[in-house]
Amino acid sequence: MTGAVSAGVPSIYPTILYRDAKAAIRTLTDAFGFTELRVYEGEDGEVLHAELASGNGVVMLGSKGRAGIFAKAMGDAGPAGVYVVVEDVDAHHARAVKHGVEILMVPTDQDYGSRDYMARDAEGNIWSFGTYAPGAGG
């Protein structure tokens, strides 16, 4: 396999299906600061596939209830948990609060050196944001 994994390009992409994928995209972009890379919609406006970036990471999402092997395998799965590295935890937290996101844990200094907070999106998925970067040493 050549070129499949290169420096700076993520090799893991969390993928979450939502009952209301458009609302999820709004939460991820407005409240959590993700950047919309791609959104593909069906003729009926249903989100077939979306890619949203934070730093050099990407999360993929789509609508629940569609046909296809992945959608059927995921069924009514959830919630999922995703950890995202951010530089300024307190500013990120303030943005999420401003947009009405449910906060499960306020910014907290951890014993292992990270500062992070935890939130729940409208469909129950848990989003943790912090300064700990696995594999970055330290």
Side-chain angles (χ1 to χ4, degrees):
M1 177 169 32
T2 60
V5 178
S6 62
V9 177
S11 61
I12 297 176
Y13 297 85
T15 305
I16 303 172
L17 298 181
Y18 286 91
R19 286 182 293 280
D20 187 344
K22 287 183 179 181
I25 291 168
R26 282 191 303 275
T27 296
L28 290 171
T29 56
D30 294 347
F32 293 153
F34 279 72
T35 301
E36 187 179 297
L37 299 177
R38 292 172 189 81
V39 176
Y40 301 102
E41 295 181 359
E43 290 180 16
D44 60 358
E46 176 181 55
V47 176
L48 302 175
H49 176 81
E51 299 170 9
L52 307 176
S54 178
N56 75 339
V58 175
V59 63
M60 298 188 298
L61 64 93
S63 299
K64 283 188 175 185
R66 295 183 24 245
I69 295 170
F70 183 75
K72 288 179 184 176
M74 291 295 289
D76 205 20
V82 179
Y83 183 86
V84 181
V85 177
V86 297
E87 297 218 6
D88 187 338
V89 172
D90 295 284
H92 197 278
H93 170 261
R95 179 179 183 160
V97 168
K98 176 183 169 190
H99 287 278
V101 173
E102 178 185 1
I103 304 298
L104 301 176
M105 182 182 78
V106 297
T108 304
D109 292 325
Q110 304 299 331
D111 293 340
Y112 50 88
S114 182
R115 180 164 180 77
D116 47 47
Y117 80 96
M118 190 180 310
R120 182 185 344 252
D121 71 22
E123 294 196 21
N125 297 295
I126 307 303
W127 292 86
S128 299
F129 299 90
T131 58
Y132 176 72

